[in-house]
């Protein structure tokens, strides 16, 4: 509904001043808005007050007021003439990749979405390097400027492409992890990576985007997703918001973000527990080392005929294959297991692999695509260490999921929906992920891939203040549990380092080619 | 009471962060303050949040939070170490003279008070010239800068003199008329002097003093007294606040500001009506043209023996007389009337004036102090036109007072206290003002001179948030009435152009030397 929108335009038609009604310009506008909005607390920034006498007279005291309305108090962001279109930008602030969406706020139309590299990569691909750099003289300032400057360039490109004035971009909502958020805002990340791991801020108040140098309307409001701590960031809160899991009280749901860290949330509208990262080998490490980012010519789906052992694959853009991405790899290992080409330890089975199995410098390789068919002119192979690495990663994931479910005395069967967030998660075939024992053996329809939940969650804020308040409520609801890598965890982890698991009864649906 | 103070220091002792409590710095401070202050809405400016991690750790999470607490929502202005002293500045922002008071907010001790010329005088002594200048390119900016720069210089002098850090000056409260307030804030005064006389703002929200270039603590809060319209400014609201007349419901009181305009307020805690300026000849015009500002050697009191007709006078500093100030002039005319030296029209009576009466170029002069006794070596005289002018002014004043009392169907007898605001008002002897018929013939104890109510009212804001809210309530309570210079007004005015009045029954206490 229009009146639920966090940022919106409202008609403000005033009687022009007269000797009988000499109320001042600002107070006249406030009076009109109080009547329309039925709110007591309406605030106008001083910089707008300075322009008010001109803006009101230019429009004969009949204007659109652009307001920020999070609930209790209303802030007037600007005054526009009739029929003005206003815009918002939602941002997925990744440490590697930044995604920006341009949204027309009048009708919530998504006009464009662009993706670009986080320019801070120049300082360091990993966050710790950047945090270290931030301690140097002007380091934090430099890191912030790199990012803000690039964002300003991209925003300017967007405005030119869509023929929009910068002053009509009136809001920006940003979801990112705790470290990225701090670097973005120019807040020191120094204590984020040092025990006891304290951010400067958990819950950010909305500020003017111009306060950090963003070049939009000078009073455009900047909303940054809150965090629960150094290792549970706003990207996760955006994910929970986008999933809708905290918006209902019936079903217990699980959300897994398969990204840089293993981040898991379990709960519903009544309670949420979450855990994240730094808990044994992370999934992506194993996957990324041998794979490629999804892109043209990259294998994203694999099927192996258990009878003929013929390998079918699909590449993005149907181009000759040049590599394999994470989802393709999970497919491949799952299919090789079903076809009996690897055993439950993930080791190659020579009699099933045949002449596709080769050895170089004492390491076994399996030829996925022979050089005659590959786009590189070379064999595309997967090594035994690659598979071992994937198995460690999937075992870590399954152990984390088991641990968090155990913590609240539930079993996987109690989970109504199992949401997979992250772009990577969208490509994964849940059937294959179950087969290798990465995720529990639930009915396949319970798995829901959500794609980029950071940009989705951030964009949702523009559609309703309900989501804004939900965001704050989610942050306060979460009980963060520290995953202790203790003996129990290591036992669970060891048991999960098999395909699908040492306890086959946990994966009844997983059958090899020779099982009925 | 300490907890009623608008700006105050509160202890904020937090448990230092630990693995068991990893709440962020900002959220940790907010949590501690919420507990102490029992308030839900506590806001911290983004610029302070940036410094927070350092300030908290430097003080081992045991600090003083300096808060601005107008009632509903609390703003944290800064974080200080234990035993810090904080300061506020109150300002009477006159178009001619600016008065600044330095107050230590810990114990509300007034440390210093300085007076200096408003540097905008360079552009024009009268406000209209300045408003005109403000329309020129960069004119408004220049006028604002002249004032702010001078204020910054004076503030720096004060801090040096009292060995105070600028960052410990955390609040500034300013009372001035509507035009001066707009020029001070950089708001266009263009429409203030043009029908229908519309200010940009009636009620100013508190802003950061740094937003207009004041060089105090970067988050020092700036409070500007609200106005009722272009001709009823914050100086009057400060006057009402200082008088206390709106703080009780029993007595009906009248407040007269004898300054640049004839400004009058009537009412009590239930109702207030006010009128101001542009209503016939103003008092000061008449007084100022022949007199001098109070200063060394200026006659401020006059007494004439009705028998011997000897003139006794008092000069400031007991120096040889060099001129006469407004209060001395009113004394002089009152005493001359009682002694029969002028008649009820204010004309010199030659047989009573004797050889003190001289004539030059057809104009009659009365020698108040012969050259032998004066400090200038010349006769100090008062001319017939001077007296005529004073009579017009006093008649205007009395007519305004009569009109406003008539408006609410009251008589002067209903007025419990008659407050006289303004420095000039402090020197006037009410007995003399009654004698010439400038103010009504009430028992003398009902007259209370309040002195500089602008600086008093502004300073009061620091002592309690009750006064801050009272300031806002007063502004909303006032019914401003336009004094129509109609036929009725002119009849009253004509009747008042005599000493004390054509209707002697209105002034029973006024007796000439030969009356019993």
């Amino acid at each position: 509904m229009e009146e639920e929108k966090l940022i919106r335009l409202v008609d403000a038609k005033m009687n022009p001043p007269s000797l009988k009604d000499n109320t001042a310009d600002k107070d006249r506008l406030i009076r009109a808005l109080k009547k329309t909005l039925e709110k007591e607390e309406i605030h106008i920034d001083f910089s707008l007050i300075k322009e008010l006498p001109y803006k009101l007279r230019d429009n004969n005291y009949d204007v659109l007021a652009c307001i920020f309305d999070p609930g209790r108090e209303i802030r007037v962001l600007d005054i526009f003439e009739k029929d003005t279109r206003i815009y918002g930008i939602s941002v997925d602030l990744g440490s590697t990749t930044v995604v920006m969406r341009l949204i027309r706020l009048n009708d919530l139309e998504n006009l464009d979405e662009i993706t670009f590299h986080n320019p801070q990569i120049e300082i360091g691909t990993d966050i710790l390097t950047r945090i270290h750099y931030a301690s140097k003289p002007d380091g934090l300032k430099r890191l912030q400027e790199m990012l803000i400057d690039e964002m300003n360039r991209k925003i300017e490109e967007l405005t030119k492409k869509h023929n929009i004035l910068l002053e009509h971009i009136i809001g920006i909502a940003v979801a990112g992890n705790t470290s990225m958020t701090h670097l973005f805002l120019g807040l020191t990340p120094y204590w984020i990576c040092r025990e006891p791991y304290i951010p400067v801020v958990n819950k950010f108040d909305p500020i003017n985007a111009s306060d950090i140098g963003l070049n939009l309307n000078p009073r455009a409001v900047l909303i940054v997703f809150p965090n629960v701590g150094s290792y549970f960031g706003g990207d996760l809160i955006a994910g929970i918001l986008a999933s809708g899991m905290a918006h209902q009280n019936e079903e217990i749901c699980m959300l897994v973000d398969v990204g840089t860290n293993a981040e898991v949330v379990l709960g519903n509208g009544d309670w949420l527990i979450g855990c994240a990262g730094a808990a044994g080998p992370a999934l992506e490490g194993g996957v990324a080392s041998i794979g490629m980012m999804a892109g043209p010519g990259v294998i994203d789906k694999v099927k192996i005929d258990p009878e003929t052992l013929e390998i079918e694959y699909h590449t993005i853009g149907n181009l000759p294959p040049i590599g394999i991405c994470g989802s393709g790899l999970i497919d491949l290992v799952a299919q090789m297991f079903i076809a009996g080409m690897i055993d439950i330890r993930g080791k190659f089975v020579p009699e099933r692999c045949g002449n596709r199995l080769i050895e170089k410098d004492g390491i076994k390789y399996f030829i996925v695509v022979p050089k005659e068919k590959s786009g590189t002119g070379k064999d595309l192979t997967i090594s035994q260490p690659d598979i071992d690495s994937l198995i460690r990663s999937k075992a870590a994931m399954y152990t984390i999921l088991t641990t968090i479910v155990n913590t609240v005395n539930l079993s996987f069967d109690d989970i109504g929906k199992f949401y997979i967030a992250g772009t990577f998660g969208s490509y994964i075939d849940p059937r294959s992920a179950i087969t290798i024992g990465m995720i529990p053996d639930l009915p396949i329809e319970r798995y829901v891939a959500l794609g980029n939940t950071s940009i989705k969650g951030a964009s949702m804020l523009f559609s309703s203040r309900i989501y804004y308040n939900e965001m704050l409520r989610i942050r306060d609801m979460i009980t963060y549990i520290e995953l202790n890598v203790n003996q129990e965890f290591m036992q669970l982890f060891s048991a999960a380092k098999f395909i699908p698991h040492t306890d086959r009864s946990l994966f009844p649906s997983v059958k090899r080619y020779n099982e009925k």
Side-chain angles (χ1 to χ4, degrees), chain A:
Chain A
M1 281 197 298
E2 181 64 23
E3 60 269 31
E4 276 176 6
K5 274 192 203 161
L6 190 63
I7 297 177
R8 64 185 192 274
L9 296 167
V10 291
D11 277 310
K13 189 171 163 58
M14 294 147 266
N15 290 324
S18 67
L19 280 174
K20 287 213 186 305
D21 176 9
N22 69 342
T23 302
D25 289 326
K26 175 228 165 190
D27 306 77
R28 186 174 296 265
L29 175 63
I30 295 274
R31 185 176 64 185
L33 290 174
K34 277 189 179 172
K35 209 172 156 189
T36 308
L37 300 168
E38 293 174 1
K39 280 273 165 69
E40 262 318 291
E41 294 290 332
I42 299 179
H43 182 76
I44 305 184
D45 195 89
F46 187 65
S47 65
L48 177 56
I49 288 174
K50 282 187 160 190
E51 302 170 10
L52 213 52
Y54 308 100
K55 291 196 176 202
L56 291 181
R57 284 175 180 78
D58 286 349
N59 293 287
N60 200 26
Y61 287 86
D62 187 7
V63 296
L64 292 173
C66 179
I67 61 166
F68 173 62
D69 177 13
R72 202 181 42 72
E73 187 177 306
I74 283 177
R75 210 191 281 180
V76 182
L77 301 176
D78 213 336
I79 294 297
F80 296 116
E81 60 184 351
K82 296 276 166 178
D83 296 322
T84 300
R85 304 258 175 287
I86 56 169
Y87 304 88
I89 288 177
S90 51
V91 182
D92 162 21
L93 190 65
S95 54
T96 310
T97 305
V98 179
V99 183
M100 254 186 197
R101 189 182 281 182
L102 177 67
I103 304 170
R104 186 167 55 220
L105 300 184
N106 306 64
D107 56 3
L108 297 176
E109 179 89 11
N110 294 335
L111 297 184
D112 211 335
E113 189 171 305
I114 55 170
T115 302
F116 54 93
H117 280 295
N118 185 326
Q120 295 172 340
I121 289 172
E122 191 190 314
I123 303 299
T125 49
D126 65 308
I127 279 286
L128 274 176
T129 309
R130 297 184 209 171
I131 291 180
H132 180 69
Y133 184 86
S135 303
K136 297 183 182 178
D138 279 330
L140 176 58
K141 193 161 164 274
R142 172 100 202 283
L143 282 163
Q144 186 187 24
E145 278 173 3
M146 292 174 92
L147 181 57
I148 300 287
D149 289 352
E150 180 75 351
M151 288 175 76
N152 280 335
R153 272 190 293 273
K154 296 295 179 185
I155 290 167
E156 208 181 326
E157 282 173 30
L158 279 174
T159 54
K160 283 188 178 146
K161 182 174 164 193
H162 293 274
N163 203 19
I164 288 170
L165 295 177
L166 278 173
E167 67 166 305
H168 290 153
I169 303 184
I170 199 73
I172 179 163
V174 178
N177 68 41
T178 307
S179 298
M180 269 315 304
T181 301
H182 276 58
L183 292 175
F184 169 64
L185 292 171
L187 301 173
T188 176
Y190 186 87
W191 288 279
I192 283 184
C193 65
R194 287 170 171 85
E195 206 180 306
Y197 314 111
I198 307 299
V200 179
V201 180
N202 291 137
K203 291 168 93 168
F204 304 93
D205 286 327
I207 60 173
N208 281 355
S210 56
D211 287 349
I212 58 162
L214 282 170
N215 191 17
L216 318 172
N217 182 297
R219 286 169 299 275
V221 69
L222 166 63
I223 301 163
V224 174
F225 272 75
N227 63 69
V228 179
S230 291
Y231 294 106
F232 197 102
D235 48 347
L236 260 280
I237 308 279
I240 298 168
L241 181 67
S243 77
M245 65 188 283
H247 212 62
Q248 47 79 35
N249 304 329
E250 306 275 306
E251 231 169 27
I252 292 163
C253 297
M254 194 164 218
L255 172 74
V256 178
D257 193 339
V258 190
T260 313
N261 282 316
E263 292 159 331
V264 184
V265 182
L266 179 69
N268 60 19
D270 290 328
W271 56 273
L272 288 170
I273 59 169
C275 66
L283 186 72
E284 82 144 13
V287 175
S289 70
I290 61 156
M292 296 179 73
M293 299 276 285
V298 171
I299 295 172
D300 62 347
K301 284 190 183 68
V302 178
K303 196 148 179 56
I304 300 177
D305 186 312
E307 303 303 323
T308 65
L309 299 182
E310 204 174 308
I311 301 177
E312 282 177 61
Y313 52 82
H314 175 266
T315 64
I316 296 170
N318 286 313
L319 296 167
I322 57 164
I324 188 163
C325 70
S327 63
L329 187 69
I330 289 170
D331 263 11
L332 177 67
V333 173
Q335 290 288 305
M336 286 179 79
F337 174 73
I338 290 170
M341 297 164 93
I342 52 176
D343 62 19
I344 62 163
R345 296 168 306 150
K347 301 298 177 194
F348 293 127
V349 179
E351 53 270 32
R352 295 289 290 173
C353 292
N355 58 8
R356 283 179 176 264
L357 195 64
I358 57 171
E359 193 169 326
K360 255 192 285 184
D361 302 330
I363 294 172
K364 291 196 172 103
Y365 292 87
F366 177 82
I367 300 169
V368 183
V369 181
K371 54 179 175 288
E372 309 85 61
K373 292 191 176 171
S374 86
T376 61
K378 290 181 186 167
D379 291 338
L380 296 185
T381 61
I382 179 174
S383 71
Q384 188 61 58
D386 289 337
I387 295 179
D388 295 347
S389 175
L390 175 66
I391 286 177
R392 276 197 305 277
S393 296
K394 79 92 188 172
M397 173 62 86
Y398 189 77
T399 306
I400 291 171
L401 299 184
T402 305
T403 305
I404 196 166
V405 166
N406 288 350
T407 304
V408 284
N409 276 321
L410 290 175
S411 76
F412 286 128
D413 283 339
D414 298 316
I415 296 172
K417 282 279 181 300
F418 194 109
Y419 296 109
I420 303 173
T423 315
F424 173 50
S426 310
Y427 293 102
I428 294 175
D429 181 348
R431 191 59 253 158
S432 294
I434 291 170
T435 300
I436 66 166
M438 182 172 139
I439 56 178
D441 192 0
L442 297 176
I444 211 78
E445 64 274 12
R446 295 202 197 167
Y447 284 99
V448 183
L450 296 176
N452 183 338
T453 49
S454 288
I455 198 79
K456 276 186 190 160
S459 304
M460 281 168 75
L461 297 191
F462 291 117
S463 64
S464 173
R465 106 173 62 91
I466 290 171
Y467 294 127
Y468 177 81
N469 289 307
E470 179 80 357
M471 168 187 87
L472 299 175
R473 196 179 67 93
I474 287 169
R475 145 53 249 192
D476 287 342
M477 261 176 74
I478 293 171
T479 306
Y480 181 74
I481 56 169
E482 200 69 50
L483 274 184
N484 292 315
V485 183
N486 53 19
Q487 209 182 336
E488 192 193 334
F489 185 92
M490 288 314 292
Q491 277 170 0
L492 286 168
F493 179 60
S494 297
K497 279 201 297 187
F498 293 84
I499 303 178
H501 198 274
T502 44
D503 183 356
R504 282 295 292 272
S505 72
L506 293 171
F507 289 86
S509 81
V510 179
K511 299 263 190 286
R512 306 192 78 173
Y513 72 106
N514 53 356
E515 295 170 351
K516 62 217 154 314

